Coordinates of all heavy atoms in Angstrom, one line a residue:
M1001 N 7.4 10.0 7.0 CA 7.3 8.6 7.1 C 8.7 8.1 7.1 O 9.6 8.5 6.3 CB 6.5 8.1 5.9 CG 6.3 6.5 5.9 SD 5.4 5.8 4.6 CE 4.1 7.1 4.3
D1002 N 9.0 7.0 7.9 CA 10.2 6.4 8.0 C 10.4 5.5 6.8 O 9.8 4.5 6.6 CB 10.3 5.5 9.3 CG 11.6 4.9 9.5 OD1 12.5 5.0 8.6 OD2 11.8 4.2 10.5
A1003 N 11.4 5.9 5.9 CA 11.6 5.2 4.6 C 12.1 3.8 4.8 O 11.9 2.9 4.0 CB 12.5 6.0 3.8
S1004 N 12.8 3.5 5.9 CA 13.3 2.2 6.2 C 12.3 1.2 6.8 O 12.5 0.0 6.8 CB 14.5 2.3 7.1 OG 14.1 2.7 8.4
K1005 N 11.2 1.7 7.2 CA 10.1 0.9 7.8 C 9.3 0.2 6.7 O 8.9 0.8 5.7 CB 9.2 1.8 8.7 CG 8.2 1.0 9.4 CD 7.4 1.9 10.3 CE 6.4 1.1 11.2 NZ 5.6 2.0 12.0
R1006 N 9.1 -1.1 6.9 CA 8.4 -1.9 5.9 C 6.9 -1.5 5.9 O 6.3 -1.2 6.9 CB 8.5 -3.4 6.3 CG 9.9 -4.0 6.2 CD 9.9 -4.7 4.8 NE 11.2 -5.2 4.6 CZ 11.8 -6.2 5.2 NH1 11.1 -6.8 6.1 NH2 13.1 -6.5 4.9
A1007 N 6.4 -1.5 4.6 CA 5.0 -1.2 4.5 C 4.1 -2.1 5.3 O 3.0 -1.7 5.7 CB 4.6 -1.2 3.0
S1008 N 4.5 -3.3 5.3 CA 3.6 -4.3 6.1 C 3.5 -4.0 7.6 O 2.6 -4.4 8.2 CB 4.2 -5.7 5.9 OG 5.5 -5.8 6.4
S1009 N 4.3 -3.1 8.0 CA 4.3 -2.7 9.5 C 3.7 -1.3 9.7 O 3.7 -0.8 10.8 CB 5.6 -2.9 10.2 OG 6.5 -2.0 9.6
W1010 N 3.2 -0.7 8.6 CA 2.6 0.7 8.7 C 1.3 0.7 9.5 O 0.5 -0.2 9.4 CB 2.3 1.3 7.4 CG 3.5 1.6 6.5 CD1 4.8 1.7 6.9 CD2 3.5 2.0 5.1 NE1 5.6 2.1 5.8 CE2 4.8 2.2 4.8 CE3 2.5 2.1 4.2 CZ2 5.2 2.7 3.5 CZ3 2.8 2.5 3.0 CH2 4.1 2.9 2.6
S1011 N 1.2 1.8 10.2 CA -0.1 2.0 10.9 C -1.1 2.7 9.9 O -0.8 3.0 8.8 CB 0.1 3.0 12.1 OG 0.5 4.3 11.5
V1012 N -2.3 2.8 10.4 CA -3.4 3.5 9.5 C -2.9 4.9 9.2 O -3.0 5.3 8.0 CB -4.6 3.5 10.3 CG1 -5.7 4.3 9.6 CG2 -5.2 2.1 10.5
E1013 N -2.3 5.6 10.1 CA -1.7 7.0 9.9 C -0.7 6.9 8.8 O -0.6 7.8 7.9 CB -1.2 7.6 11.1 CG -2.3 8.1 12.0 CD -3.3 9.2 11.4 OE1 -2.7 10.1 10.6 OE2 -4.5 9.0 11.6
E1014 N 0.1 6.0 8.8 CA 1.2 5.9 7.8 C 0.7 5.5 6.4 O 1.1 6.0 5.4 CB 2.3 4.9 8.2 CG 3.1 5.4 9.4 CD 4.0 4.3 10.1 OE1 3.5 3.3 10.4 OE2 5.1 4.6 10.4
V1015 N -0.4 4.7 6.4 CA -1.1 4.4 5.1 C -1.7 5.6 4.5 O -1.6 5.9 3.4 CB -2.1 3.3 5.3 CG1 -3.0 3.1 4.1 CG2 -1.5 1.9 5.7
L1016 N -2.3 6.4 5.4 CA -2.9 7.8 5.0 C -1.8 8.6 4.4 O -2.0 9.3 3.4 CB -3.6 8.4 6.2 CG -4.9 7.8 6.5 CD1 -5.4 8.4 7.9 CD2 -6.0 7.9 5.5
E1017 N -0.6 8.6 5.1 CA 0.5 9.5 4.5 C 0.9 9.0 3.2 O 1.2 9.8 2.3 CB 1.6 9.4 5.6 CG 2.7 10.3 5.2 CD 3.8 10.4 6.2 OE1 3.6 10.1 7.4 OE2 5.0 10.8 5.9
W1018 N 1.0 7.7 3.0 CA 1.4 7.1 1.7 C 0.4 7.5 0.7 O 0.8 7.9 -0.5 CB 1.6 5.6 1.8 CG 2.0 5.0 0.6 CD1 3.3 4.8 0.0 CD2 1.1 4.3 -0.4 NE1 3.2 4.2 -1.2 CE2 1.9 3.9 -1.5 CE3 -0.2 4.2 -0.5 CZ2 1.3 3.2 -2.6 CZ3 -0.8 3.5 -1.6 CH2 0.0 3.0 -2.6
V1019 N -0.9 7.4 1.0 CA -1.9 7.7 0.0 C -1.8 9.2 -0.3 O -1.9 9.6 -1.6 CB -3.3 7.4 0.5 CG1 -4.4 8.0 -0.3 CG2 -3.5 5.9 0.6
R1020 N -1.5 10.1 0.6 CA -1.4 11.5 0.3 C -0.2 11.8 -0.6 O -0.3 12.6 -1.5 CB -1.2 12.3 1.6 CG -2.5 12.6 2.3 CD -2.3 13.6 3.5 NE -1.5 13.1 4.5 CZ -1.9 12.4 5.6 NH1 -3.2 12.2 5.8 NH2 -1.2 12.0 6.6
E1021 N 0.9 11.0 -0.4 CA 2.1 11.2 -1.3 C 2.0 10.6 -2.6 O 2.3 11.2 -3.6 CB 3.3 10.7 -0.5 CG 3.7 11.4 0.7 CD 4.8 10.7 1.5 OE1 5.3 9.7 1.1 OE2 5.2 11.2 2.6
Q1022 N 1.5 9.4 -2.6 CA 1.5 8.6 -3.9 C 0.2 8.8 -4.7 O 0.3 8.7 -6.0 CB 1.6 7.1 -3.6 CG 2.9 6.7 -3.0 CD 4.1 7.0 -3.8 OE1 4.0 6.8 -5.0 NE2 5.1 7.5 -3.2
C1023 N -0.9 9.1 -4.1 CA -2.2 9.2 -4.8 C -2.9 10.4 -4.4 O -4.0 10.4 -3.9 CB -3.1 7.9 -4.5 SG -2.2 6.3 -4.5
P1024 N -2.3 11.6 -4.6 CA -3.0 12.8 -4.1 C -4.4 13.0 -4.7 O -5.2 13.6 -4.0 CB -2.0 13.9 -4.5 CG -1.1 13.3 -5.5 CD -1.1 11.9 -5.3
A1025 N -4.6 12.6 -5.9 CA -5.9 12.8 -6.5 C -7.0 11.9 -5.8 O -8.2 12.2 -6.0 CB -5.8 12.5 -8.0
H1026 N -6.5 10.9 -5.1 CA -7.5 10.0 -4.5 C -7.6 10.1 -3.0 O -8.3 9.4 -2.4 CB -7.1 8.5 -4.9 CG -6.9 8.4 -6.3 ND1 -5.6 8.2 -6.9 CD2 -7.8 8.3 -7.3 CE1 -5.8 8.1 -8.2 NE2 -7.0 8.2 -8.5
T1027 N -6.8 11.0 -2.4 CA -6.8 11.1 -1.0 C -8.1 11.3 -0.3 O -8.5 10.6 0.6 CB -5.8 12.3 -0.5 OG1 -4.5 12.0 -1.1 CG2 -5.7 12.5 1.0
G1028 N -8.9 12.2 -0.8 CA -10.2 12.5 -0.3 C -11.1 11.3 -0.3 O -11.8 11.0 0.7
L1029 N -11.0 10.7 -1.4 CA -11.9 9.4 -1.6 C -11.5 8.3 -0.7 O -12.4 7.7 -0.1 CB -11.8 9.0 -3.1 CG -12.6 7.8 -3.5 CD1 -14.1 8.1 -3.4 CD2 -12.2 7.4 -4.9
L1030 N -10.2 8.1 -0.5 CA -9.8 7.0 0.2 C -9.6 7.2 1.7 O -9.7 6.3 2.5 CB -8.4 6.5 -0.3 CG -8.5 5.9 -1.8 CD1 -7.1 5.6 -2.3 CD2 -9.3 4.6 -1.7
H1031 N -9.5 8.5 2.1 CA -9.2 8.8 3.4 C -10.2 8.2 4.4 O -9.8 7.6 5.4 CB -9.2 10.4 3.6 CG -8.9 10.8 5.0 ND1 -7.6 11.0 5.4 CD2 -9.6 11.1 6.1 CE1 -7.6 11.4 6.7 NE2 -8.8 11.6 7.1
Q1032 N -11.5 8.5 4.2 CA -12.5 8.0 5.1 C -12.6 6.4 5.1 O -12.7 5.9 6.2 CB -13.9 8.5 4.7 CG -14.0 10.0 5.0 CD -13.8 10.4 6.4 OE1 -14.2 9.6 7.4 NE2 -13.1 11.5 6.7
A1033 N -12.4 5.8 4.0 CA -12.4 4.4 3.9 C -11.3 3.7 4.7 O -11.5 2.7 5.3 CB -12.4 3.9 2.4
I1034 N -10.1 4.4 4.5 CA -8.9 3.8 5.3 C -9.2 3.9 6.8 O -8.8 2.9 7.4 CB -7.7 4.6 4.9 CG1 -7.3 4.2 3.4 CG2 -6.5 4.3 5.8 CD1 -6.2 5.2 2.8
I1035 N -9.7 5.0 7.2 CA -10.0 5.1 8.6 C -11.1 4.2 9.1 O -11.0 3.4 10.1 CB -10.3 6.6 9.0 CG1 -9.0 7.5 8.8 CG2 -10.9 6.7 10.4 CD1 -9.3 8.9 8.9
K1036 N -12.2 4.2 8.3 CA -13.4 3.4 8.6 C -13.0 1.9 8.8 O -13.5 1.2 9.6 CB -14.5 3.6 7.6 CG -15.7 2.7 7.9 CD -16.7 2.9 6.8 CE -18.0 2.1 7.0 NZ -19.0 2.3 5.9
H1037 N -12.2 1.5 7.9 CA -11.8 0.0 7.8 C -10.5 -0.3 8.4 O -10.0 -1.5 8.3 CB -11.9 -0.5 6.3 CG -13.2 -0.4 5.7 ND1 -14.3 -1.1 6.0 CD2 -13.7 0.5 4.8 CE1 -15.3 -0.8 5.3 NE2 -14.9 0.3 4.5
A1038 N -9.9 0.6 9.0 CA -8.6 0.5 9.8 C -7.6 -0.2 8.9 O -7.0 -1.2 9.2 CB -8.8 -0.2 11.0
I1039 N -7.3 0.3 7.7 CA -6.5 -0.3 6.7 C -5.0 0.1 7.1 O -4.6 1.2 7.0 CB -6.8 0.1 5.3 CG1 -8.2 -0.3 4.9 CG2 -5.7 -0.4 4.3 CD1 -8.7 0.2 3.6
S1040 N -4.4 -1.0 7.6 CA -2.9 -0.9 8.0 C -2.1 -1.2 6.8 O -2.7 -1.5 5.7 CB -2.7 -1.9 9.1 OG -2.8 -3.2 8.6
G1041 N -0.8 -1.2 7.0 CA 0.0 -1.5 5.9 C -0.1 -2.9 5.4 O -0.1 -3.2 4.2
R1042 N -0.3 -3.8 6.3 CA -0.5 -5.2 5.8 C -1.7 -5.3 5.0 O -1.8 -6.0 4.0 CB -0.6 -6.1 7.1 CG -0.7 -7.6 6.8 CD -0.8 -8.4 8.1 NE 0.5 -8.3 8.8 CZ 1.5 -9.1 8.7 NH1 1.3 -10.2 7.8 NH2 2.7 -9.0 9.3
A1043 N -2.8 -4.7 5.4 CA -4.0 -4.8 4.6 C -3.9 -4.0 3.3 O -4.3 -4.5 2.2 CB -5.2 -4.2 5.4
L1044 N -3.2 -2.9 3.3 CA -2.9 -2.1 2.1 C -2.2 -3.0 1.0 O -2.6 -3.0 -0.2 CB -2.1 -1.0 2.4 CG -1.7 0.0 1.2 CD1 -2.9 0.7 0.7 CD2 -0.6 1.0 1.6
L1045 N -1.2 -3.7 1.4 CA -0.5 -4.6 0.5 C -1.4 -5.7 -0.1 O -1.0 -6.3 -1.2 CB 0.7 -5.3 1.2 CG 1.8 -4.3 1.5 CD1 2.8 -5.0 2.4 CD2 2.4 -3.7 0.3
R1046 N -2.5 -6.0 0.5 CA -3.4 -7.1 0.0 C -4.6 -6.6 -0.9 O -5.3 -7.4 -1.4 CB -3.9 -7.9 1.2 CG -2.9 -8.7 1.9 CD -3.4 -9.5 3.0 NE -2.4 -10.4 3.5 CZ -2.1 -10.5 4.8 NH1 -2.8 -9.9 5.7 NH2 -1.2 -11.3 5.1
L1047 N -4.7 -5.2 -1.0 CA -5.8 -4.7 -1.7 C -5.8 -5.1 -3.2 O -4.7 -5.1 -3.8 CB -5.8 -3.2 -1.6 CG -6.2 -2.6 -0.3 CD1 -6.2 -1.1 -0.4 CD2 -7.6 -3.0 0.2
K1048 N -7.0 -5.5 -3.7 CA -7.1 -5.9 -5.1 C -8.2 -4.9 -5.7 O -8.7 -4.1 -5.0 CB -7.6 -7.3 -5.2 CG -6.8 -8.3 -4.5 CD -5.5 -8.6 -5.3 CE -4.8 -9.8 -4.7 NZ -3.4 -9.6 -4.4
E1049 N -8.3 -5.1 -7.0 CA -9.3 -4.1 -7.7 C -10.6 -4.1 -7.1 O -11.2 -3.1 -6.9 CB -9.3 -4.5 -9.2 CG -10.1 -3.5 -9.9 CD -10.0 -3.6 -11.5 OE1 -9.4 -4.6 -11.9 OE2 -10.6 -2.8 -12.2
R1050 N -11.2 -5.3 -6.7 CA -12.5 -5.4 -6.2 C -12.6 -4.6 -4.8 O -13.7 -4.1 -4.5 CB -13.0 -6.8 -6.0 CG -12.3 -7.6 -5.0 CD -12.9 -9.1 -5.0 NE -12.2 -9.9 -3.9 CZ -11.0 -10.4 -4.0 NH1 -10.3 -10.3 -5.1 NH2 -10.6 -11.1 -2.9
H1051 N -11.5 -4.7 -4.1 CA -11.5 -3.9 -2.8 C -11.6 -2.4 -3.0 O -12.2 -1.8 -2.3 CB -10.2 -4.3 -2.0 CG -10.1 -5.7 -1.7 ND1 -9.0 -6.4 -2.0 CD2 -11.0 -6.6 -1.0 CE1 -9.1 -7.7 -1.6 NE2 -10.4 -7.8 -1.0
L1052 N -10.8 -2.0 -4.1 CA -10.8 -0.5 -4.4 C -12.2 -0.1 -4.8 O -12.7 1.0 -4.4 CB -9.8 -0.3 -5.5 CG -8.4 -0.4 -5.0 CD1 -7.5 -0.2 -6.2 CD2 -8.0 0.5 -3.9
E1053 N -12.9 -1.0 -5.5 CA -14.3 -0.7 -5.9 C -15.2 -0.5 -4.7 O -16.0 0.4 -4.6 CB -14.9 -1.8 -6.8 CG -14.2 -1.7 -8.3 CD -14.8 -2.9 -9.1 OE1 -16.1 -2.9 -9.3 OE2 -14.0 -3.7 -9.6
L1054 N -15.0 -1.5 -3.7 CA -15.9 -1.4 -2.5 C -15.5 -0.3 -1.7 O -16.3 0.2 -0.9 CB -15.6 -2.7 -1.7 CG -16.1 -4.0 -2.4 CD1 -15.7 -5.2 -1.6 CD2 -17.6 -4.0 -2.4
L1055 N -14.2 0.3 -1.8 CA -13.9 1.5 -1.0 C -14.3 2.7 -1.7 O -14.1 3.8 -1.1 CB -12.3 1.5 -0.8 CG -11.7 0.3 0.1 CD1 -10.3 0.4 0.1 CD2 -12.3 0.5 1.5
G1056 N -14.9 2.6 -2.9 CA -15.5 3.8 -3.5 C -14.7 4.4 -4.7 O -15.1 5.4 -5.2
V1057 N -13.7 3.6 -5.2 CA -12.9 4.0 -6.4 C -13.6 3.5 -7.5 O -13.4 2.4 -8.0 CB -11.5 3.6 -6.3 CG1 -10.7 4.2 -7.5 CG2 -10.8 4.1 -5.0
E1058 N -14.5 4.3 -8.1 CA -15.4 3.9 -9.2 C -14.7 3.9 -10.6 O -15.0 3.1 -11.4 CB -16.7 4.7 -9.2 CG -17.5 4.4 -7.9 CD -18.7 5.3 -7.9 OE1 -18.9 6.2 -8.8 OE2 -19.5 5.2 -6.9
D1059 N -13.8 4.9 -10.8 CA -13.2 5.1 -12.1 C -12.1 4.0 -12.3 O -11.2 3.8 -11.5 CB -12.6 6.5 -12.1 CG -12.0 6.8 -13.5 OD1 -12.8 6.9 -14.5 OD2 -10.7 6.8 -13.6
E1060 N -12.3 3.3 -13.4 CA -11.3 2.3 -13.7 C -9.9 2.7 -13.9 O -8.9 2.1 -13.4 CB -11.8 1.6 -15.2 CG -10.8 0.6 -15.7 CD -10.7 -0.7 -14.9 OE1 -11.8 -1.0 -14.3 OE2 -9.7 -1.4 -15.1
E1061 N -9.7 3.9 -14.5 CA -8.3 4.5 -14.7 C -7.7 4.8 -13.3 O -6.6 4.5 -13.1 CB -8.4 5.7 -15.5 CG -7.1 6.2 -16.0 CD -7.1 7.4 -16.9 OE1 -8.0 7.3 -17.9 OE2 -6.4 8.3 -16.8
Q1062 N -8.5 5.3 -12.4 CA -8.0 5.6 -11.1 C -7.6 4.3 -10.4 O -6.6 4.3 -9.7 CB -9.1 6.3 -10.2 CG -9.3 7.8 -10.7 CD -10.4 8.4 -9.9 OE1 -11.2 7.7 -9.3 NE2 -10.4 9.7 -9.9
R1063 N -8.5 3.3 -10.4 CA -8.2 2.0 -9.8 C -6.8 1.4 -10.3 O -6.0 0.9 -9.6 CB -9.3 1.0 -10.0 CG -10.5 1.2 -9.1 CD -11.4 0.0 -9.1 NE -11.8 -0.5 -10.4 CZ -12.9 -0.1 -11.1 NH1 -13.7 0.9 -10.6 NH2 -13.1 -0.6 -12.3
Q1064 N -6.7 1.5 -11.6 CA -5.5 1.0 -12.3 C -4.2 1.7 -11.8 O -3.2 1.1 -11.5 CB -5.6 1.0 -13.8 CG -6.6 0.0 -14.3 CD -6.4 -1.4 -13.9 OE1 -5.2 -1.9 -13.8 NE2 -7.4 -2.1 -13.4
Q1065 N -4.3 3.0 -11.7 CA -3.2 3.8 -11.2 C -2.9 3.4 -9.7 O -1.6 3.2 -9.4 CB -3.5 5.3 -11.3 CG -2.3 6.2 -10.8 CD -1.0 5.9 -11.6 OE1 -1.1 6.0 -12.8 NE2 0.1 5.7 -11.0
I1066 N -3.9 3.3 -8.9 CA -3.6 2.9 -7.5 C -3.0 1.5 -7.5 O -2.0 1.2 -6.7 CB -4.9 3.0 -6.7 CG1 -5.4 4.4 -6.6 CG2 -4.7 2.3 -5.3 CD1 -6.8 4.6 -6.1
L1067 N -3.5 0.6 -8.3 CA -3.0 -0.8 -8.3 C -1.5 -0.8 -8.8 O -0.7 -1.6 -8.3 CB -3.8 -1.7 -9.2 CG -5.2 -2.0 -8.7 CD1 -6.1 -2.7 -9.8 CD2 -5.1 -2.9 -7.5
Q1068 N -1.2 0.1 -9.7 CA 0.3 0.1 -10.1 C 1.2 0.6 -9.0 O 2.2 0.1 -8.7 CB 0.4 1.1 -11.3 CG -0.1 0.5 -12.6 CD 0.1 1.5 -13.8 OE1 0.5 2.7 -13.6 NE2 -0.2 1.1 -15.0
D1069 N 0.7 1.7 -8.2 CA 1.3 2.2 -7.1 C 1.5 1.1 -6.0 O 2.5 0.9 -5.3 CB 0.7 3.3 -6.4 CG 0.7 4.6 -7.3 OD1 1.6 4.6 -8.2 OD2 -0.1 5.5 -7.2
L1070 N 0.4 0.3 -5.8 CA 0.4 -0.8 -4.8 C 1.4 -1.9 -5.3 O 2.1 -2.5 -4.4 CB -0.9 -1.4 -4.6 CG -1.9 -0.6 -3.8 CD1 -3.3 -1.1 -3.9 CD2 -1.4 -0.4 -2.4
L1071 N 1.5 -2.2 -6.6 CA 2.4 -3.2 -7.1 C 3.8 -2.8 -6.8 O 4.7 -3.5 -6.3 CB 2.2 -3.4 -8.6 CG 3.2 -4.4 -9.2 CD1 3.0 -5.8 -8.7 CD2 2.9 -4.4 -10.8
L1072 N 4.2 -1.5 -7.0 CA 5.5 -1.0 -6.7 C 5.8 -1.2 -5.2 O 6.9 -1.6 -4.8 CB 5.7 0.4 -7.1 CG 7.0 1.1 -6.8 CD1 8.2 0.4 -7.6 CD2 7.0 2.6 -7.3
L1073 N 4.9 -0.9 -4.4 CA 5.0 -1.0 -2.9 C 5.3 -2.5 -2.6 O 6.1 -2.8 -1.7 CB 3.8 -0.4 -2.2 CG 3.9 -0.3 -0.7 CD1 5.0 0.8 -0.4 CD2 2.5 0.3 -0.2
R1074 N 4.5 -3.3 -3.2 CA 4.7 -4.8 -2.9 C 6.2 -5.2 -3.3 O 6.7 -6.1 -2.7 CB 3.7 -5.7 -3.7 CG 2.3 -5.6 -3.1 CD 1.3 -6.5 -3.9 NE -0.1 -6.1 -3.6 CZ -0.9 -5.5 -4.4 NH1 -0.5 -5.3 -5.6 NH2 -2.1 -5.2 -4.1
V1075 N 6.6 -4.8 -4.5 CA 8.0 -5.1 -5.0 C 8.9 -4.5 -4.0 O 9.9 -5.3 -3.6 CB 8.2 -4.5 -6.4 CG1 9.7 -4.6 -6.7 CG2 7.3 -5.3 -7.4
Q1076 N 8.8 -3.4 -3.5 CA 9.7 -2.8 -2.5 C 9.7 -3.7 -1.2 O 10.7 -3.9 -0.6 CB 9.4 -1.4 -2.2 CG 9.6 -0.4 -3.3 CD 9.0 0.9 -3.1 OE1 8.1 1.1 -2.2 NE2 9.5 1.9 -3.9
E1077 N 8.6 -4.1 -0.8 CA 8.4 -5.0 0.3 C 9.2 -6.3 0.1 O 10.0 -6.8 1.0 CB 6.9 -5.3 0.6 CG 6.6 -6.1 1.8 CD 6.7 -5.2 3.2 OE1 6.8 -4.0 3.1 OE2 6.6 -5.8 4.2
E1078 N 9.0 -6.9 -1.1 CA 9.7 -8.1 -1.3 C 11.2 -8.0 -1.4 O 12.0 -8.8 -0.9 CB 9.2 -8.7 -2.7 CG 7.8 -9.2 -2.7 CD 7.6 -10.4 -1.9 OE1 8.5 -11.3 -1.9 OE2 6.5 -10.6 -1.3
I1079 N 11.7 -6.9 -2.0 CA 13.1 -6.6 -2.0 C 13.7 -6.6 -0.6 O 14.7 -7.1 -0.3 CB 13.4 -5.4 -2.8 CG1 13.2 -5.6 -4.3 CG2 14.9 -4.9 -2.6 CD1 13.2 -4.4 -5.1
G1080 N 12.9 -5.8 0.3 CA 13.3 -5.8 1.7 C 13.4 -7.2 2.4 O 14.4 -7.4 3.1
E1081 N 12.5 -8.0 2.1 CA 12.4 -9.3 2.7 C 13.6 -10.2 2.1 O 14.3 -10.9 2.9 CB 11.1 -10.0 2.4 CG 9.9 -9.4 3.2 CD 8.7 -10.0 2.9 OE1 8.6 -11.1 2.1 OE2 7.6 -9.5 3.3
L1082 N 13.9 -10.0 0.8 CA 15.0 -10.8 0.3 C 16.3 -10.3 0.9 O 17.2 -11.1 1.1 CB 15.0 -10.6 -1.3 CG 13.9 -11.4 -2.0 CD1 13.9 -11.0 -3.4 CD2 14.1 -12.9 -1.9
G1083 N 16.4 -8.9 1.1 CA 17.6 -8.5 1.7 C 17.8 -9.0 3.1 O 18.9 -9.4 3.6
D1084 N 16.7 -9.2 3.9 CA 16.8 -9.8 5.2 C 17.2 -11.3 5.1 O 18.1 -11.7 5.9 CB 15.4 -9.8 5.9 CG 15.1 -8.4 6.4 OD1 15.9 -7.5 6.3 OD2 13.9 -8.2 6.7
I1085 N 16.8 -12.0 4.1 CA 17.1 -13.4 4.0 C 18.6 -13.5 3.6 O 19.3 -14.3 4.2 CB 16.2 -14.0 2.9 CG1 14.8 -14.2 3.4 CG2 16.8 -15.4 2.5 CD1 13.8 -14.6 2.3
R1086 N 19.0 -12.6 2.8 CA 20.5 -12.6 2.4 C 21.3 -12.3 3.5 O 22.4 -13.0 3.8 CB 20.7 -11.6 1.3 CG 22.0 -11.5 0.7 CD 22.2 -10.5 -0.4 NE 23.5 -9.9 -0.2 CZ 23.8 -8.8 0.3 NH1 22.8 -8.0 0.7 NH2 25.0 -8.3 0.4
S1087 N 20.9 -11.4 4.4 CA 21.7 -11.0 5.5 C 21.8 -12.2 6.6 O 22.8 -12.4 7.1 CB 21.1 -9.8 6.3 OG 21.2 -8.6 5.5
D1088 N 20.6 -12.9 6.7 CA 20.6 -14.0 7.6 C 21.4 -15.2 7.1 O 22.1 -15.8 7.9 CB 19.1 -14.5 7.8 CG 18.3 -13.5 8.6 OD1 18.9 -12.6 9.2 OD2 17.1 -13.6 8.5
C1089 N 21.4 -15.4 5.8 CA 22.2 -16.5 5.3 C 23.7 -16.3 5.2 O 24.5 -17.2 5.3 CB 21.6 -16.8 3.9 SG 20.0 -17.5 3.9
F1090 N 24.0 -15.0 5.0 CA 25.5 -14.7 4.7 C 26.1 -13.9 5.8 O 27.2 -13.3 5.6 CB 25.6 -14.0 3.4 CG 25.1 -14.9 2.3 CD1 23.9 -14.5 1.5 CD2 25.9 -16.0 1.9 CE1 23.5 -15.4 0.5 CE2 25.4 -16.8 0.8 CZ 24.2 -16.5 0.1
S1091 N 25.5 -13.8 6.9 CA 26.1 -13.0 8.1 C 27.2 -13.9 8.6 O 27.1 -15.1 8.8 CB 25.1 -12.6 9.0 OG 24.5 -13.7 9.7
P1092 N 28.3 -13.2 9.1 CA 29.4 -14.0 9.7 C 29.1 -14.7 11.0 O 28.2 -14.6 11.7 CB 30.5 -13.0 9.9 CG 29.9 -11.6 9.7 CD 28.4 -11.8 9.1

């Protein structure tokens, strides 16, 4: 996966790769749901606890771990966006 590419622009395949890397214990459970619902990076960043339940993540502890991983991903996305704003504002 291209580390410089923003999560919001990830394809379904890139979302699957992220899930395999970040949530290996949940890969099997989420794989079919990601494909079935065509969850791209933009959709991934918007997932909430209720969405994870609908996708079949029944265990509360598992949902919380995934939500923590998603929070970190959202923060990384925000940092990237702030970097773009800074570049735009302070470029020569």
Side-chain angles (χ1 to χ4, degrees):
M1001 181 181 322
D1002 182 0
S1004 64
K1005 188 174 180 182
R1006 292 261 174 76
S1008 59
S1009 63
W1010 288 352
S1011 67
V1012 172
E1013 282 301 318
E1014 289 167 313
V1015 169
L1016 287 170
E1017 186 176 337
W1018 180 82
V1019 168
R1020 281 191 294 269
E1021 291 173 3
Q1022 297 297 318
C1023 316
H1026 309 105
T1027 300
L1029 179 65
L1030 293 174
H1031 183 85
Q1032 291 301 325
I1034 289 168
I1035 293 171
K1036 178 181 178 182
H1037 298 287
I1039 297 175
S1040 65
R1042 185 174 293 267
L1044 178 70
L1045 291 170
R1046 292 186 172 127
L1047 290 180
K1048 304 285 188 235
E1049 185 168 8
R1050 70 181 184 280
H1051 300 123
L1052 293 174
E1053 288 180 58
L1054 292 171
L1055 293 174
V1057 183
E1058 296 175 359
D1059 183 70
E1060 173 72 21
E1061 190 174 317
Q1062 290 177 338
R1063 283 195 308 272
Q1064 292 306 312
Q1065 182 60 52
I1066 294 169
L1067 290 170
Q1068 285 180 356
D1069 292 338
L1070 286 172
L1071 179 58
L1072 178 59
L1073 193 60
R1074 287 184 197 109
V1075 168
Q1076 291 168 343
E1077 185 79 7
E1078 291 290 327
I1079 289 170
E1081 289 176 10
L1082 290 172
D1084 288 349
I1085 291 168
R1086 185 178 143 258
S1087 295
D1088 290 345
C1089 291
F1090 299 108
S1091 62

